[in-house]
Amino acid sequence: MTLSDPPRAALSTLETRHLELVRNTVLRILSTKQAEDVFAEVADGLPTQETAKYKPHCDEEELDDRTQPSARARDLVRTWRSDFDLGSLELESNVISTYQQTPLQAREFKARLIEITAVVIHTLAALLFSHTNHPPYKKPPPKNKIVMVDGWPQVTDELVPSRVPTYLYHNDYLDDDIYPLGIADIAAYWAETHLFGGVVVFYQGDNETELPTDLLPPSSLPLDDKRFLDVYLHPDCRFKVFRLSDAQIDQFVGFGVHGEPSASSPFPLKPERNTVRLFPAIAMSHYNVYRSKNDRKVREIDIARLNWGGRMEDDPQMMELVEERKKAELKQGNDGI
């Protein structure tokens, strides 16, 4: 936890129309089944098999047969959602003031509305975790240490504690020593990821740090249309940070502000085929893509040694080639029957 937290202000200090828009957006999102599932997992302090599927502990005994959150957690979330006074929620004053000072008709207003919505959702998730989980938190158990013997890995009897303090974590947001709510904030970044499709981050303007373009794969070249406060999502498990299209931004805002009760939720959002994708390790330090400087510590990165590997899902062209190859092989097999 930080030694001196920044000043805070309640949502109720916003002017009427600004407050109405963020309140409607947050409540609309919280009313979705996706949000109920995510917040129930926060209350349980445990993910389901689905939300843990890319993590190394996805097959552990505590998660066996856990296909959905507990009924107790669902009931708790529904009660909490109906009773909570959103106007009393306090956020960092700069988030409140920046949103308030942005005119409704300004081009960047949608991004500011998304920003304050993400911060509200994050804060609610952190508070819920704090009230429903208590130390020692549920977390992955120790693992047997593996050492190399004559060039071969060998499992030892020595147990190595888990490096993560809770099952609910995003691999890139583990700096609880700088978070106002500590481990609860770690769980809140996890909640953002599984609700929105990634931690909500923004392009914050030109960065003086220049990244050698000859070291970058084509999908991560510098932004072709640098605009203040472009909106990005930062997924987990080595998936690349990706920029939301204007249509996706409209979906995000429109669902909360104008969405009919029967309208389907756009969340979690996924990257469009030709969107800008950034390597998580350098998104903050080299591209100035983040929400707050205190989201995570910036590590020293040796660009020349950076592992440019990633997930195939982040290369849509390659995915299409693989799919075409599968179809061709299937057709060839059928023709031979």
Side-chain angles (χ1 to χ4, degrees):
M1 187 175 294
T2 55
L3 295 177
S4 57
D5 293 334
R8 305 177 75 81
L11 278 179
S12 59
T13 61
L14 289 167
E15 293 180 4
T16 303
R17 184 55 179 157
H18 279 73
L19 175 59
E20 179 185 3
L21 288 172
V22 68
R23 185 197 297 274
N24 289 348
T25 301
V26 169
L27 293 179
R28 183 75 178 93
I29 291 171
L30 289 179
S31 71
T32 64
K33 184 180 184 301
Q34 179 78 11
E36 183 176 290
D37 286 347
V38 168
F39 274 76
E41 289 172 63
V42 169
D44 276 335
L46 284 172
T48 60
Q49 291 177 342
E50 175 64 23
T51 54
K53 66 181 179 181
Y54 290 113
K55 295 293 177 65
H57 52 260
C58 61
D59 58 352
E60 288 178 3
E61 184 176 345
E62 192 158 12
L63 303 183
D64 282 352
D65 302 322
R66 187 171 158 78
T67 58
Q68 58 185 358
S70 69
R72 178 200 64 82
R74 285 189 187 279
D75 290 341
L76 186 153
V77 167
R78 289 167 185 159
T79 301
W80 163 81
R81 186 177 60 200
S82 62
D83 292 347
F84 190 84
D85 176 16
L86 200 58
S88 67
L89 185 70
E90 292 188 346
L91 308 180
E92 290 187 14
S93 296
N94 68 307
V95 175
I96 296 277
S97 61
T98 305
Y99 171 66
Q100 179 63 71
Q101 292 165 13
T102 306
L104 300 179
Q105 66 275 16
R107 182 174 60 81
E108 64 266 28
F109 178 76
K110 291 178 183 178
R112 289 300 185 188
L113 177 58
I114 290 174
E115 177 186 38
I116 195 170
T117 297
V119 173
V120 169
I121 293 292
H122 176 104
T123 306
L124 290 174
L127 292 174
L128 180 64
F129 182 88
S130 296
H131 287 295
T132 54
N133 293 267
H134 307 285
Y137 300 114
K138 299 167 187 170
K139 66 178 184 178
K143 296 285 189 182
N144 291 89
K145 185 176 182 179
I146 298 176
V147 298
M148 300 300 292
V149 178
D150 297 329
W152 294 91
Q154 181 173 313
V155 179
T156 69
D157 292 331
E158 181 182 351
L159 293 177
V160 180
S162 172
R163 72 181 183 92
V164 297
T166 169
Y167 273 108
L168 309 179
Y169 69 95
H170 184 304
N171 281 293
D172 295 326
Y173 295 83
L174 290 168
D175 299 314
D176 58 290
D177 58 321
I178 64 171
Y179 298 154
L181 294 176
I183 293 172
D185 276 312
I186 291 180
Y189 285 116
W190 175 93
E192 281 188 62
T193 302
H194 291 281
L195 176 52
F196 297 124
V199 174
V200 181
V201 292
F202 303 86
Y203 171 59
Q204 301 284 358
D206 287 333
N207 195 332
E208 294 179 359
T209 304
E210 292 296 332
L211 192 64
T213 56
D214 60 331
L215 294 176
L216 287 172
S219 62
S220 292
L221 286 174
L223 317 187
D224 56 355
D225 180 21
K226 291 190 174 184
R227 295 174 297 165
F228 180 65
L229 273 176
D230 276 345
V231 185
Y232 286 75
L233 292 181
H234 182 170
D236 197 4
C237 302
R238 296 190 299 115
F239 285 98
K240 292 176 184 174
V241 179
F242 65 93
R243 187 171 71 186
L244 298 186
S245 67
D246 289 344
Q248 287 178 312
I249 290 174
D250 287 341
Q251 274 186 303
F252 193 126
V253 173
F255 177 74
V257 175
H258 308 296
E260 297 295 328
S262 59
S264 59
S265 168
F267 306 113
L269 293 164
K270 297 181 179 180
E272 294 185 351
R273 185 182 188 277
N274 295 317
T275 191
V276 173
R277 290 174 168 86
L278 305 173
F279 284 98
I282 56 176
M284 184 175 184
S285 60
H286 289 76
Y287 287 126
N288 239 15
V289 173
Y290 58 89
R291 187 164 75 228
S292 165
K293 287 284 190 180
N294 289 328
D295 284 343
R296 54 194 180 120
K297 297 174 183 175
V298 177
R299 271 74 180 180
E300 289 290 332
I301 300 293
D302 184 347
I303 296 298
R305 296 187 177 184
L306 186 63
N307 179 8
W308 296 113
R311 293 191 174 276
M312 188 176 291
E313 294 94 325
D314 276 326
D315 189 337
Q317 290 82 3
M318 180 61 71
M319 290 287 288
E320 289 166 6
L321 286 174
V322 170
E323 190 62 30
E324 289 174 7
R325 181 68 179 269
K326 287 180 180 178
K327 289 179 180 178
E329 290 176 350
L330 180 61
K331 183 178 185 300
Q332 186 177 23
N334 291 337
D335 290 344
I337 295 176

